[in-house]
Amino acid sequence: MWLGPEEVLVANALWVTERANPFFVLQRRRGHGKGGGLTGLLVGTLDVVLDSSARVAPYRILHQTQDSQVYWTVACGSSRKEITKHWEWLENNLLQTLSIFDNEEDITTFVKGKIHGIIAEENKNLQPQGDEDPGKFKEAELKMRKQFGMPEGEKLVNYYSCSYWKGRVPRQGWLYLSVNHLCFYSFLLGKEVSLVVQWVDVTRLEKNATLLFPESIRVDTRDQELFFSMFLNIGETFKLMEQLANLAMRQLLDSEGFLEEKALPRPTRPHRNISALKRDLDARAKNECYRATFRLPRDERLDGHTGCTLWTPFNKLHIPGQMFISSNYICFASKEEDACHLIIPLRERPPAPAEAADQPSPTSPLGGRQGSSVQEAPTASQGLLKLFQGNSPMEDLGAKGAKEKMKEESWDIHFFEYGRGVCMYRTAKTRELVLKGIPESLRGELWLLFSGAWNEMVTHPGYYAELVEKSMGKYSLATEEIERDLHRSMPEHPAFQNELGIAALRRVLTAYAFRNPTIGYCQAMNIVTSVLLLYGSEEEAFWLLVALCERMLPDYYNTRVVGALVDQGIFEELTRDFLPQLSEKMQDLGVISSISLSWFLTLFLSVMPFESAVVIVDCFFYEGIKVILQVALAILDANMEQLLGCGDEGEAMTVLGRYLDNVVNKQSVSPPIPHLHALLTSGDDPPAEVDIFDLLKVSYEKFSSLRADDIEQMRFKQRLKVIQSLEDTAKRSVVRAIPGDIGFSIEELEDLYMVFKAKHLASQYWGGSRPTAVRRDPSLPYLEQYRIDASQFRELFTSLTPWACGTHTPVLAGRMFRLLDENRDSLINFKEFVTGMSGMYHGDLTDKLKALYKLHLPPALSPEEAESALEATHYFTEDSSSEASPLASDLDLFLPWEAQETPRQEEQERGGNEDGQEKRGEEKATSPPDYRHYLRMWAKEKEVQKETIKDLPKMNQEQFIELCKTLYNMFSEDPMEQALYHAIATVASLLLRIGEVGKKFAAPTGRKPRAGAAEEDEPPAPDPTQDPALELQPPAAGDPQSKAGGDTHLGKAPQETQVVGDGGGGEGRGSPSQLLSDDETKDDMSMSSYSVVSTGSLQCEDLADDTVLVGAEARGPPAPTRGGGTVDTDWCISFEQILASILTESVLVNFFEKRVDIGLKIKDQKKVERQFSTSSDLEQSGVSG
C-alpha cells in the first residue's frame, strides 16, 4: 500500500534491510518471518502494546538520498508479494528518471510528488463508494480481517487498547469491535492470545469494579466469562459494546427489523480515526433517546442539539436546557428533569373540527370530538363511555361530581397558563395534576397528547380509514384470534355487551394486525384497546394502540412477549434492591413470573377494578413504564408480611388477588362496574379497601428514585438474558423434535444446532440477497426459523461429512441437499439437515450404503448430471411387461412432475375411457360406504412407513458410474487406499456381470410387448443410417440416453464389461485405449478388473461424465449416436445386489462400519469459522491474494 511520505530519522531500529538501490531501501520488521530470536519476540511485543498498525505492515520501502540522513516512508506491505510488487514498480518506472537529477532535494521532491499522485489516483477510483475511513483506521480494519479471518463484508466499528485478564494475568492488546463480532488480539513475549466472540452469543455485558479486576467490562457467553480492563475511556467503549449487542439481540428477535436497520446512514464528513459506523451508531443512540424523551414518531431523525435557555411566560424566567431540532419538530428539555418540556411541531395547522366533520365514513379522521351526529357515526366522534354512561349532570352526583368539576377547572386553569395541545409547557405542575386524576371528559385528549399518538394521527390523515377498508373481509390467523377474544374484552362493561362496541373493537384490532403483521394480534391487546375505545374515537384508539405497541411498550405484544419478560426481569431486580427480605421468598414461591405478565401486559386493567386501573393508565401515558414498576413494588410492599407467611404460590396469588380486588377509586363518577378478575373469598373478613390515589402516592414516595435512563440500562441487560433464554428454549424444542432413532446424542444435536444456526446468521451478516437472509420469521415454529441454502449446506457438509471425497465433495453435497429438500424451496431446516448427517454417521452398513445409494438416484442427481439417467428410468418403466410393475410406482416417486407428465398422458389416452367406466360401475354396485374402512385406510396413511431395501428402485448404468466415481474419490485419502481400490474393483466387476446376466433375463420380456405396441407408444425413429441388424436391440439411437458422450468400446465376449473413459483416443492418463483379452481375464479376473477400473477412476477428473459402461455383445456394430457414445439402457442393478457384493469384501465392510466422532468435526468447524491468519509469508500472501 502506497503511503504519504513521512520522515523517518532512525531507519534501522527494529528493521532489517533486505534490498537496496541508490534511492530506495526495502526493509523487513525484526521478528517477522522465520527466526528472529529474542529480538523478534521483543519487537512483536512492542508492536502489539505500543503501535496498533505495526503488525499490519511487516514490510516497508524507504526513500533515501546518498548524502541525506533523513529517510521517507513511501510504501508498506503485509506480505512479501505485495511489497515486491511496489519495489519492482519503483525500479522499473523511477530509477532511470531519478538518475537524471543533479540536486538531491529535487529528487526527494519529485519522489514525494509522484507518490502523492499515485495515492490521489487510487483514492479517485474509490471515491464513488462513499466516504472512506481515514488511513489509520483502515489499517486497523485490514489487520482485524487478516488476524481473525473475517470476510470483506465484516466492518470494523472501532478498536481500543486494553487488557484481557487470562486468569490473574492481564494481557495487553487490542480490542476490535465489529458489527457482528468482538475480537481481541495480544502478543506478549511469544505468547499469543486471540479471541473471537459473536455478539449474538453474548448472554451478559456489564461494567463493574472488583478487588480482583479494577474498573472492567465483563462479557459472558454460554461457555466463558471474559474480563477487559485498562481502557483509556471505558464509558465510551462500554456504550458502543451495548449498542452492538443490542443490534445482535434485535437480529435474533426480529430479523426483518434488523435488516431494515442494517443500512445505516453515511455521514457527510468523516472525522479522523473514527469509523463511519461508530458515528452512525452514536447518531442512532441519540435518535432513540430523542424520540423516547419527547414521544415522537419512529421515523423522526435528530438533526442537531445545542445548549440554550427558554423564556417561560408562566413564571417569567429563563430556564437553562437543551434545544433539539429535527425535520418536523423543535423540542426543549430543561436541565432539571421536571422544570419544563416543550414540543413545537413544524407543520401546518390541522383542519378545524367543523371542516372535518362532513366526512361520510364512520372511521374517517376527525380533527375534533364534536363533529357528526350520534346517529350517523356513533364511534367516530366520541368514546363509547359517553354513549353508554348517560349524560347525568354533575350536580346529581354529589361530592363525587363536585370533585370532578374541581379537577376540570384545575385543568382549565392549567391550559390557560401553560397552553393546550401539543405545544403545552409540561412542568412539575402537569405531573401533579395527572397524579390527582384526569377528569373523564379530558382523558382521551390528554392520553393522545402525552403518548405522542396525536402527532402521528394528524400527520397521517385517512390512514386508519384506508386500513379498515383494506382489511375488511381479509382472513388470517390474527383475525381468527381476534374473533375468539372479542367477547372476552371487558364483558362486564355495558359498552361491550352489544354489537356497536364489539364492531368498533374488531375494526381497530384488525386494522392494527393489518398494519403490523409482525405483531398481528396478541392476547391482552383486546383488553387495552377496549379501554382506549371508551375514551376516544376508533381512529384515536387505533393511534393510541400504535403508540403503546411500537414505542411505549416495545416488543410487549409480539409472539414471545419479549418486552414483558424483559420488564419482568427488571421487576425482579428492583425487588432485590428495594425489598430484599421479600425477594428471596418470591423467588422460592415463583410468584413474580406469574403476576408480572398479567400486570404489565394489561397495565393492571385485568387485575384491578376498572375505575382504579384507568388512573394508573393516566400516569403511564405521562411517565411511561416506571409508573407500572413503582405501583407493582408498592403492592408487594403493602402485602409484605402476608407474603412472607405464605407457604406456596397459590396462597401468595390469593393474597395479592384479594388486595387488588379491593383497590378502589372513591372519586370516580362512572357507575360502578362489577370486577370479574377473581372473586377470591376465604373464611377471613375481606381486606380493607385501598384508595388508588393513596397507592400511587406511596409508590412515588418510596420508589420515585427510578429514572427512565436507569430503566433503559436495565432493559438492555435483561434483554440479553431473555433473548438468550428464549434461544436456549428454541434449541431444546428443536432437539426434542428430532426423532429418537436419529442416532446423535442430545449434546451432539445441540452442538450441531449451534453450528447450523451460526451458518444461517452468517447469511444475514454477509449474505446480501440470499434467500436465507430475508426468510427468518420469529413467528414460525422453532424448527423453521433457521434454514440454510445449498451453498451454506455445501460448506457444512464439507467440514462435517465422514465421506470426504476431495474435489468430488461439493458434488456429493449438492446431491444430498436435493435429496433432503423435500418441499423444493431451496432451503432446508435443522431436522432435514440432521437426517442427512445421521445417514452418514449412524446405523449399520446397510443404512449407510442405502444413504449412499440414494445419492445416486433422482432426485439427488441433478437434471444436468442425470438427464439421460432419468430418461433411462422412464424407458425401463415403459419397457416392462404389460402388468403393472412395482418398480414403476417406486420410480415415479423420484421423477419430477415434468418427467411423469408424458407417460401419464399416454396412459389416459390408452385406457382412460375403460377405467372411467369400470370406476363408475364399481361406484354403482357399492353398498353404503363402510366408514370403518376409510378410518383404517387413513390410519395406515398416517403411520410412518419404514423404508425397506426392497422399496429402493433399481440403478441404471449411468447412475452406477456415478456411484463408482464417488467410491473411488471417497477412498483416495484413506490409509487402506490400495486395499479399498482392489476391493471395489472386484465388487464393480462382479456387479457388472450381474447386470449383464439380469439384462439377458429381462430382454425377452422387454422386447415382446415393445414390438406389439410400437404404434401406440410411438418410440423415437431410429437414425436412417442405422444398421438393420440392430432391430433386435433396444432403440439406443433414438433414445435420449444417447446424449452421454464418449467413445464406444465393444468387448469380444458377451459377459465381458469394462469401465472405459474418453481420454482423447486412449492417450490420456488413466484411460486405457484397448480392452483386456480373454486370456488375461481367465488368468485373474479380479486383478484385470482392478487394473482397468481403478486406473481409469483414481481421480475424479479422470473418470469424466462421458464415461460409459457397455454390455458388449458380438451381434453387430454399435448404433451411431449424437454424442458419439452410448449407454446400455437394458442394464440395471438392485440395491440388494450391491449390498451382497460389498459384504464379500471385509475391507469395504470395515470402512463403512468404522465409527467417526462428529464432536471432533464440530470443533474443527468452529475453528474454521474463527480462523485467524498466521504471520508466515506464505499465508500472508495467500490472504492478500
Side-chain angles (χ1 to χ4, degrees), residues 268 276 311 545 682 793 902-903 928 1060:
T268 52
W311 169 257
L545 184 63
S682 63
F793 176 79
T902 311
V1060 182

Side-chain angles (χ1 to χ4, degrees), residues 101 121 187 284 471 484 584 698 832 864 898 936:
F101 286 93
E121 192 67 29
F187 181 84
R284 174 178 293 184
S471 61
R484 193 172 61 231
E584 199 173 326
V698 169
E832 292 164 337
E864 294 81 15
E898 294 83 2
R936 282 196 297 271

Side-chain angles (χ1 to χ4, degrees), residues 50-342:
L50 301 178
D51 181 12
S52 69
S53 61
R55 280 183 66 80
V56 179
Y59 297 95
R60 70 179 183 183
I61 297 175
L62 303 178
H63 164 63
Q64 61 150 8
T65 51
Q66 289 178 353
D67 298 331
S68 173
Q69 298 300 313
V70 179
Y71 291 77
W72 300 85
T73 56
V74 294
C76 69
S78 58
S79 66
R80 191 181 295 278
K81 183 179 177 182
E82 183 185 353
I83 206 71
T84 305
K85 185 180 171 187
H86 289 331
W87 178 263
E88 288 173 353
W89 188 91
L90 291 170
E91 284 191 328
N92 296 334
N93 293 280
L94 286 190
L95 278 187
Q96 197 170 356
T97 308
L98 295 178
S99 61
I100 299 168
F101 286 93
D102 297 327
N103 189 342
E104 290 188 354
E105 284 184 15
D106 292 345
I107 292 174
T108 303
T109 306
F110 179 80
V111 168
K112 286 160 72 175
K114 190 70 179 173
I115 299 299
H116 280 303
I118 293 170
I119 293 170
E121 192 67 29
E122 285 181 350
N123 290 344
K124 188 176 75 175
N125 296 336
L126 295 172
Q127 204 59 40
Q129 298 175 6
D131 297 319
E132 290 296 318
D133 289 328
K136 195 86 168 171
F137 186 86
K138 211 169 177 184
E139 285 180 14
E141 185 170 54
L142 178 66
K143 176 184 176 184
M144 179 204 74
R145 290 210 192 112
K146 291 189 174 181
Q147 194 66 55
F148 303 102
M150 299 289 177
E152 283 288 327
E154 184 68 356
K155 298 292 183 187
L156 179 65
V157 180
N158 214 347
Y159 61 102
Y160 301 94
S161 170
C162 71
S163 289
Y164 160 63
W165 290 80
K166 193 169 185 183
R168 296 194 175 191
V169 181
R171 302 276 183 166
Q172 183 65 28
W174 290 88
L175 181 72
Y176 299 89
L177 305 179
S178 72
V179 175
N180 304 301
H181 297 85
L182 175 153
C183 308
F184 176 82
Y185 181 78
S186 169
F187 181 84
L188 284 174
L189 299 177
K191 295 283 181 73
E192 190 175 53
V193 176
S194 182
L195 293 171
V196 180
V197 176
Q198 286 184 312
W199 289 117
V200 289
D201 291 336
V202 173
T203 57
R204 183 175 177 182
L205 180 64
E206 61 186 27
K207 186 167 61 173
N208 54 21
T210 62
L211 287 172
L212 180 60
F213 302 115
E215 194 174 29
S216 62
I217 294 174
R218 174 178 177 172
V219 182
D220 286 9
T221 65
R222 290 177 180 82
D223 313 318
Q224 55 190 339
E225 294 177 4
L226 309 172
F227 290 88
F228 301 96
S229 67
M230 300 186 195
F231 290 93
L232 289 173
N233 188 343
I234 193 167
E236 179 198 327
T237 311
F238 183 69
K239 187 178 172 186
L240 180 59
M241 291 168 83
E242 267 189 333
Q243 289 175 306
L244 293 168
N246 238 333
L247 274 178
M249 293 307 106
R250 172 61 54 191
Q251 179 190 5
L252 291 176
L253 180 61
D254 171 19
S255 62
E256 188 179 337
F258 167 77
L259 289 167
E260 285 173 9
E261 292 181 356
K262 199 174 170 188
L264 298 168
R266 301 290 297 184
T268 52
R269 279 187 186 171
H271 299 292
R272 187 161 179 77
N273 289 345
I274 299 178
S275 78
L277 276 172
K278 170 77 168 62
R279 292 192 302 278
D280 294 339
L281 286 167
D282 289 344
R284 174 178 293 184
K286 286 178 183 174
N287 282 331
E288 286 172 359
C289 183
Y290 171 61
R291 290 193 294 263
T293 304
F294 299 103
R295 306 275 167 78
L296 299 177
R298 289 170 72 185
D299 56 354
E300 198 62 26
R301 297 280 185 272
L302 178 65
D303 291 329
H305 60 95
T306 182
C308 68
T309 59
L310 176 71
W311 169 257
T312 50
F314 52 85
N315 59 3
K316 296 183 173 52
L317 288 175
H318 286 282
I319 297 180
Q322 288 269 329
M323 181 171 73
F324 302 86
I325 301 173
S326 60
S327 52
N328 299 303
Y329 298 89
I330 294 175
C331 303
F332 175 83
S334 59
K335 283 186 179 176
E336 292 179 37
E337 193 175 355
D338 289 333
C340 183
H341 269 218
L342 179 65

Side-chain angles (χ1 to χ4, degrees), residues 743-778:
F744 292 115
S745 68
I746 297 292
E747 291 77 18
E748 287 172 340
L749 284 172
E750 288 184 349
D751 286 344
L752 280 170
Y753 177 79
M754 295 309 289
V755 168
F756 184 87
K757 174 180 156 186
K759 190 58 71 176
H760 167 93
L761 291 175
S763 69
Q764 291 193 330
Y765 300 161
W766 310 306
S769 58
R770 276 187 172 179
T772 44
V774 291
R775 290 214 190 179
R776 192 199 166 210
D777 181 359

